[in-house]
Amino acid sequence: YSNSLAFLKKSLQINEDFRHSIPSMTYEQLALTYLGLEKRDSAAFCVKKTLDLLEDYKDAGGKYDVTKYATVSRTFESAGIIAFFTNDLVNSKKYLEQSVYYNPYKNQDPFSYAPVYLSFLEMKTNPTVGKIFLDEAISLYKREIDSGTEDGEFYFNLACLY
């Protein structure tokens, strides 16, 4: 974990130095690394840092730029995943719902995890909606596998959902 932590921090520094936008997934991976090191507070702080990135995606009127909705959606997804693993389930659900709001086609994107996490969160309070999210994710991963993908992630994700 220590090497991962060092590389992720260096990545963040390089992006800041060159004024590149920082991908939300960097904070997501950093948070998961902190969790592996049992540093829950540091992981939770990554939610704030991730949400801070959203300021870069606003237009002059202070609303999210429609041309950046995919990035806004992915940023909310990262915040939701981090909140999920830091056991902040209320905010996790809120961020994941925002992710779907800014990209209503997330349930058709095999690389999106928001529907999977939402299915888990919804199962507790609204099992019907949770089951819909779950069934859609299973169907999507099966479709990728049936199409002959060599990406092992889809096999792993499908196995996890069962």
Side-chain angles (χ1 to χ4, degrees), residues 25-93:
M25 287 187 68
T26 305
Y27 281 117
E28 184 182 324
Q29 294 301 313
L30 183 62
L32 295 174
T33 301
Y34 279 131
L35 288 170
L37 293 168
E38 298 182 18
K39 295 183 176 184
R40 185 172 299 278
D41 290 342
S42 295
F45 185 70
C46 289
V47 172
K48 180 198 176 315
K49 296 297 284 182
T50 301
L51 294 173
D52 287 348
L53 298 174
L54 291 167
E55 290 301 312
D56 294 339
Y57 311 126
K58 291 185 178 177
D59 61 20
K63 295 184 179 184
Y64 295 120
D65 182 341
V66 69
T67 65
K68 297 184 176 156
Y69 274 11
T71 305
V72 169
S73 174
R74 183 64 186 103
T75 302
F76 274 118
E77 182 175 276
S78 288
I81 290 170
I82 297 167
F84 182 89
F85 284 110
T86 57
N87 209 29
D88 182 1
L89 301 183
V90 171
N91 281 320
S92 175
K93 183 177 178 199

Side-chain angles (χ1 to χ4, degrees), residues 51 68 70 72 80 83 96 113 123 135 147 151 154 159-160 162:
L51 294 173
K68 297 184 176 156
V72 169
L96 293 167
Y113 294 102
M123 287 290 199
D135 289 346
S147 73
D151 189 337
F154 297 114
C160 288
Y162 281 115

Side-chain angles (χ1 to χ4, degrees), residues 69-70 73-74 98-107 109 112:
Y69 274 11
S73 174
R74 183 64 186 103
Q98 287 287 357
S99 177
V100 172
Y101 174 81
Y102 285 101
N103 183 1
Y105 301 104
K106 274 203 165 293
N107 64 339
D109 178 357
S112 173

